[in-house]
């Protein structure tokens, strides 16, 4: 995080935020929608794979995450060596996997006269296995830390770890065997699971190297998140969020084309709204689809955008018709938060996400999200032949745009400001541009260029908001700068060793966490996967040339 | 332990013992014997049971194990309360169970937005759950400590712990949920498993109260150990040892009559001998029956005694005939260790167990075990009509008895001494008496009474050796003293709160452990279960009157 807060400050902030939010109870599940969703559960396929190396973390002060992995032995040693109490090793599967782990535990060096206890730590990045996870200092549940202690009674035995993990590295520690024996690890296998099918089309030859690398890492990110729904991260929260869904869907249309999973997700949200019909920020799939009492103003608005883009990408008008009432209801509810002056003000009554930045004033960005959603919903209504039902949308858009121009734009600088303190942020510019508030593309470019160059502006801390900056740049024709930002930001993660794109990446402070402890960060996060969308759609649109 | 050794001294002692032992390789499994054994695997039945109370340990300096359990809440609270991160409870199942645990984990107080991590600690006695298990100081594998950390991803969910445990108490700690929710525990259930069938005949009315209580605890001990074989302890080692088997078989003939399990165990040992044919001290059942490279001189001798008693108790001469070659081979091998002078000397070449006492000189006791086994093997040969094959046994017995009388008996005191230092011990007297070395019952009684009264004699530390003292007392007509010793020793454990009899109990030092940490002791141990045998056989023989 750019803001240096102590874990205690962050926790206090979070508690205060929770306290002032008013939650409405969930509505009854809409069974017809949920039946549709459940009929679309994709098949998960499992891809077994052996580790490629035994590695050990080596401190590297120059590396953003402070450690490199270096080979420390041949994988054949796993099965040939006798690993005794107190010994440990780390295996490397060569890339990020969401999946299971199994191995055959074989007694070695003597008769196994006791159970064997192992600690297994799963790492997406070297930091996860290079440093002790305890004492844990974050404010998210410690249960997210990917570690297991298992005790095996009878040897030899094939051990299948009970849960799904997100990992490239697995550290295995023999906590206890007896002094009379040790163990060998045969058939160590990662069973990657994903519902992604096939391999996306290759990029054409001749693109800069970084394009191919960033594209591949983005695809790997999407692949690990593509489970029975679009998860936000296979490590955490393993859950479907609207904000992640939209970005995954965009990447998916260009790569795996998991259209039925997008559809399933749209139905899950539709089937599990709040009692007033507002779409939830996230839902749970298991044990049964369940509402998750976390509404997010901007995510509810983006539900409509996701639906519109789905219908556009697939031509599936039937789904559009079926879910149209949900979309219409979102804007009824959200527009009620707009004042007589045509402005949205973030009072804290509903969580406005936009980014994890703590100091960000979100009113202007939300104004933008709302206009963006109104415009896209109008397009959807038109596609579905239901424009008459929402004939007031164009007036509403015009009213909100006019209010933004009148009250949020600083005429002198051409920048959009937010809140009583007139805060300058990247978020405000990006969303105003996407909302089409600037009167011209030139004005939009001026705002974006100025804010990116301003040392005082509140900067993004998540790839999620970086996405919207890039999307805004593309929207106003800043194609080269958009590509350069992708190269710098996502390419920076690749340079830092990312196999999949991270939930949080602040190039200035790569060890920051919105949760108070980097060991709880997700290092394969859906909302970071859109470079593959940008690269491929810009190629198609002629904005990126070979 | 009576001897105050530091854990380091004990570990050094153990390492030295291991080093000087010569192990012969295992022989090939005798398939015909193993087939018989595997055909006799008894059915395990499962008995579900709800906890009777929520309890908490309270320090009680007067209690041998330093803690009492006192009720601290109604079990209904498990399901009705919201248990949050950092909270814990201990449930009491009202008695010792070998079995599994399940419960339904239900979210409470909010939406479950993270996995839940629990630590479960299973206690046979209050000490197991009242004190931290770490840092563990014992020299047996820490993996025996009965604790599990489990992480549950999706709630509500029925959780079945993966392993079998030995417990009356279960401490459950919510290590981590998120700050937004807690959990409730519905349907908390112990699934006791045992192959014991039915309920043993009740003792007649009118016996002293302690008899009924000691008998009941002995039965509970046997029941928990009665699994697919006679385990030494359901907590540790969960394994079949010859020394435990003999005592369990004696108790079983008087109670559960699990004769086919005795038979199975005799065949397991016969099928898994050392390459020279010596029966192993213990064997493993899983994953497949396996030899356990731990030969014990006295246990090999007691294999013959167990077989003889099995044939006598069941009339199963066919099994006797089938296993007779194994019995014969034991004495060929063991008698080879007797010198020309007719004496066995413990050189350390083969482990002589007798008791866990560290300072015990075992030569004289082993001389007694050998004579005892020779006498019983001769009886077996006679029953089987094969006396001609071992016609030299009576001469051998006479030679060993004469040597013992000549060299081990101190004529002045009437006590049997052991080793170059002429050590006085209870073990020597008990085994000399059981071997019939004293020239009269009077001489036997003198030896036993004197040693029990002698403050300098090496005393037993395990119920196993206490059993042989009682057995020796009964053998020479000291019935009242035998009963009094049972009342004092095993009754002492009942007074100390035992639900099942312990592996180790030194009334002077109830916190002692042969392994350096009492948390690794087994508190339900087969070799302690014979009071039910003594009480019932003495009733039948008229030595205990109502």
């Amino acid at each position: 995080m750019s803001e240096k807060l102590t874990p205690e400050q962050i926790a206090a902030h979070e508690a205060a935020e929770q306290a002032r939010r008013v939650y409405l109870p969930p509505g009854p599940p809409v069974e017809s929608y949920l039946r549709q969703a459940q009929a679309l559960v994709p098949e998960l396929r499992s891809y077994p794979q052996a580790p490629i190396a035994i590695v050990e973390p080596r401190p590297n002060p120059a590396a953003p995450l402070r450690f490199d992995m270096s080979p420390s032995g041949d994988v054949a040693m796993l099965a040939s060596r006798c690993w005794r109490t107190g010994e440990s090793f780390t295996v490397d599967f060569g890339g990020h996997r969401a999946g299971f782990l199994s191995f055959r535990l074989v007694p070695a060096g003597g008769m196994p006269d006791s159970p064997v206890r192992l600690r297994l730590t799963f790492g997406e990045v070297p930091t996860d296995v290079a440093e002790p996870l305890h004492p844990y200092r974050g404010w998210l549940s410690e249960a997210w830390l990917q570690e297991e202690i298992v005790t095996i009674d009878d040897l030899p035995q094939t051990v299948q770890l009970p849960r799904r993990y997100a990992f490239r590295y697995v550290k295995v520690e023999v906590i206890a065997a007896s002094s009379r024996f040790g163990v060998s690890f045969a058939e160590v296998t990662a069973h990657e699971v994903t519902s992604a099918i096939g391999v996306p089309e290759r990029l054409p030859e001749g693109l800069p190297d970084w394009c191919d690398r960033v594209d591949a890492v983005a695809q790997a990110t999407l692949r690990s998140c593509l489970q029975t729904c679009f998860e936000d991260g296979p490590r955490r929260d393993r859950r479907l969020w609207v904000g992640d869904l939209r970005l995954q869907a965009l990447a998916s249309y260009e790569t795996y084309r998991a259209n039925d999973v997008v559809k399933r997700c749209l139905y899950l949200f539709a089937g599990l709204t709040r009692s007033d019909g507002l779409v939830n920020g996230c839902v749970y799939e298991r044990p049964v689809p369940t509402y998750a009492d976390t509404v997010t103003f901007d995510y509810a608005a983006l539900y409509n955008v996701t639906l519109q883009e789905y219908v556009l990408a697939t031509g599936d008008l039937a789904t559009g018709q079926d879910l149209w009432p949900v979309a219409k209801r979102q804007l009824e509810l959200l527009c009620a938060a707009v004042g007589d002056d045509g402005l949205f003000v973030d009072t804290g009554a509903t969580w406005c996400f936009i980014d994890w930045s703590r100091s960000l004033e979100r009113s202007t960005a939300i104004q933008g999200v709302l206009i963006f959603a109104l415009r896209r919903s109008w397009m959807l209504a038109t596609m579905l032949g239901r424009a008459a039902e929402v004939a007031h949308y164009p007036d509403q858009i015009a009213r909100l745009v006019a209010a933004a121009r009148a009250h949020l734009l600083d005429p002198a600088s051409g920048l959009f400001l937010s809140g009583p303190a007139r805060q300058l942020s990247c978020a405000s510019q990006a969303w105003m541009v996407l909302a089409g508030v600037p009167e011209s593309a030139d004005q939009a470019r001026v705002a974006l260029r100025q804010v990116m160059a301003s040392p005082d502006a509140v900067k993004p801390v998540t790839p999620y908001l970086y996405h919207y900056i890039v999307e805004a740049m593309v929207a106003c024709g800043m194609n080269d700068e958009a590509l350069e930002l992708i190269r710098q930001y996502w390419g920076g993660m690749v340079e830092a060793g990312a196999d999949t794109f991270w939930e949080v990446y602040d190039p200035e402070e790569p060890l920051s966490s919105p949760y108070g402890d980097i060991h709880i960060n997700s290092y394969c996060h859906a909302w970071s996967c859109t470079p593959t969308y940008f690269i491929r759609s810009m190629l198609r649109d002629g904005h990126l040339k070979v």
Side-chain angles (χ1 to χ4, degrees), chain A:
Chain A
M1 312 290 294
S2 307
E3 309 104 274
K4 296 208 181 186
L5 298 180
T6 66
E8 291 70 28
Q9 285 172 317
I10 290 169
H13 181 102
E14 179 69 10
E17 279 216 353
Q18 295 278 348
R20 69 192 163 100
R21 270 176 221 157
V22 179
Y23 291 109
L24 294 184
V30 184
E31 293 301 339
S32 60
Y33 286 158
L34 290 183
R35 265 198 305 278
Q36 271 278 20
Q38 295 305 78
L40 293 165
V41 176
E43 188 196 349
L44 290 177
R45 298 183 190 201
S46 175
Y47 301 90
Q49 192 200 329
I52 60 161
I54 300 179
V55 293
E56 65 185 354
R58 282 210 296 219
N60 175 1
L65 295 181
R66 288 167 300 172
F67 292 92
D68 288 335
M69 284 297 191
S70 64
S72 66
D74 193 274
V75 286
M77 276 170 58
L78 300 174
S80 65
R81 239 198 77 167
C82 170
W83 301 87
R84 294 194 175 265
T85 300
E87 295 189 309
S88 68
F89 59 83
T90 300
V91 288
D92 177 1
F93 285 97
H96 189 278
R97 313 287 175 239
F100 297 86
L101 184 79
S102 72
F103 49 85
R104 191 157 170 78
L105 198 63
V106 180
M111 285 300 300
D113 63 345
S114 81
V116 177
R117 189 161 285 164
L118 307 174
R119 181 188 290 115
L120 296 107
T121 310
F122 295 82
E124 297 184 292
V125 291
T127 333
D128 291 331
V129 294
E131 301 177 308
L133 301 181
H134 304 279
Y136 168 64
R137 298 173 311 125
W139 56 267
L140 293 187
S141 168
E142 184 180 325
W144 288 118
L145 295 177
Q146 294 195 119
E147 53 175 354
E148 298 283 348
I149 293 178
V150 296
T151 306
I152 312 302
D153 287 313
D154 304 309
L155 300 187
Q157 188 175 129
T158 296
V159 179
Q160 161 97 47
L161 271 285
R163 306 168 60 225
R164 202 198 71 194
Y165 312 92
F167 60 102
R168 171 175 172 166
Y169 306 106
V170 184
K171 180 175 185 182
V172 180
E173 297 169 85
V174 182
I175 297 180
S178 84
S179 58
R180 296 183 69 181
F181 75 108
V183 281
S184 297
F185 297 79
E187 299 161 34
V188 176
T189 308
H191 306 266
E192 185 203 15
V193 286
T194 177
S195 63
I197 297 170
V199 177
E201 216 176 308
R202 293 185 62 139
L203 292 178
E205 304 272 330
L207 286 175
D209 218 36
W210 72 262
C211 272
D212 289 304
R213 288 164 67 204
V214 163
D215 181 73
V217 172
Q219 275 180 44
T221 307
L222 184 61
R223 179 184 170 94
S224 280
C225 295
L226 230 177
Q227 301 293 328
T228 49
C229 74
F230 283 100
E231 296 185 13
D232 60 335
R235 168 187 188 153
R236 211 205 81 244
D237 308 325
R238 301 189 206 151
R239 202 187 313 173
L240 171 60
W241 289 87
V242 175
D244 298 83
L245 172 61
R246 178 181 176 240
L247 306 196
Q248 284 167 299
L250 290 176
S252 167
Y253 302 137
E254 302 291 342
T255 54
Y256 294 107
R257 299 191 180 85
N259 296 349
D260 274 356
V261 185
V262 180
K263 180 174 171 183
R264 163 171 163 73
C265 294
L266 289 166
Y267 273 100
L268 279 172
F269 283 116
L272 297 164
T273 64
R274 207 164 69 165
S275 54
D276 59 357
L278 196 70
V279 158
N280 213 328
C282 63
V283 297
Y284 297 97
E285 290 182 281
R286 280 174 295 273
V288 292
T290 306
Y291 172 92
D293 81 356
T294 301
V295 292
T296 309
F297 195 101
D298 36 339
Y299 281 14
L302 290 172
Y303 178 82
N304 290 19
V305 178
T306 313
L307 177 59
Q308 179 262 330
E309 288 166 343
Y310 168 78
V311 173
L312 191 65
T314 64
D316 179 1
L317 292 168
T319 294
Q321 295 289 1
D322 204 19
L323 296 177
W324 168 248
V326 180
K328 203 166 63 168
R329 181 66 181 146
Q330 299 315 299
L331 287 176
E332 285 167 22
L333 291 162
L334 298 176
C335 287
V338 177
D340 290 340
D341 56 0
L343 291 178
F344 171 85
V345 175
D346 182 5
T347 61
T350 302
W351 183 23
C352 297
F353 176 65
I354 302 295
D355 188 25
W356 268 130
S357 167
R358 298 283 162 187
S359 56
L360 181 65
E361 214 296 330
R362 288 158 165 84
S363 304
T364 296
I366 293 287
Q367 180 92 3
V369 173
L370 198 50
I371 299 166
F372 183 67
L374 274 162
R375 288 191 196 276
R376 293 298 192 87
S377 301
W378 176 246
M379 288 166 72
L380 176 62
T382 307
M383 281 193 280
L384 299 175
R386 306 184 78 150
E389 288 180 36
V390 288
H392 61 290
Y393 277 10
D395 281 351
Q396 202 145 10
I397 293 166
R399 194 169 71 93
L400 268 67
V401 167
R405 288 178 182 165
H407 301 290
L408 307 178
L409 180 66
D410 174 47
S413 64
L415 287 160
F416 294 92
L417 306 175
S418 189
R422 311 288 284 165
Q423 185 190 70
L424 176 64
S425 69
C426 294
S428 295
Q429 314 314 308
W431 278 110
M432 285 286 110
V433 168
L434 284 167
V437 173
E439 294 194 38
S440 66
D442 263 350
Q443 208 181 78
R445 288 191 284 265
V446 165
L448 284 170
R449 283 183 187 135
Q450 277 200 87
V451 81
M452 294 301 281
S454 162
D456 299 330
V458 176
K459 292 286 190 306
V461 299
T462 61
Y464 176 74
L465 182 51
Y466 272 98
H467 163 93
Y468 282 105
I469 294 172
V470 175
E471 188 174 339
M473 287 176 166
V474 174
C476 64
M478 294 167 64
N479 296 301
D480 290 349
E481 284 145 291
L483 283 166
E484 177 57 18
L485 184 54
I486 294 173
R487 189 192 67 75
Q488 274 181 26
Y489 185 70
W490 279 269
M493 283 189 258
V494 173
E495 289 302 317
D499 300 296
T500 47
F501 288 122
W502 305 345
E503 176 186 22
V504 181
Y505 173 57
D506 182 344
E508 304 296 310
E509 278 195 62
L511 299 177
S512 64
S513 167
Y515 315 113
D517 192 319
I518 58 159
H519 296 121
I520 209 78
N521 284 11
S522 159
Y523 289 93
C524 172
H525 219 70
W527 70 19
S528 312
C529 77
T530 50
T532 188
Y533 157 73
F534 286 121
I535 289 169
R536 285 158 190 262
S537 60
M538 288 171 83
L539 269 168
R540 198 180 48 242
D541 297 341
H543 300 315
L544 170 60
K545 294 196 176 66
V546 178

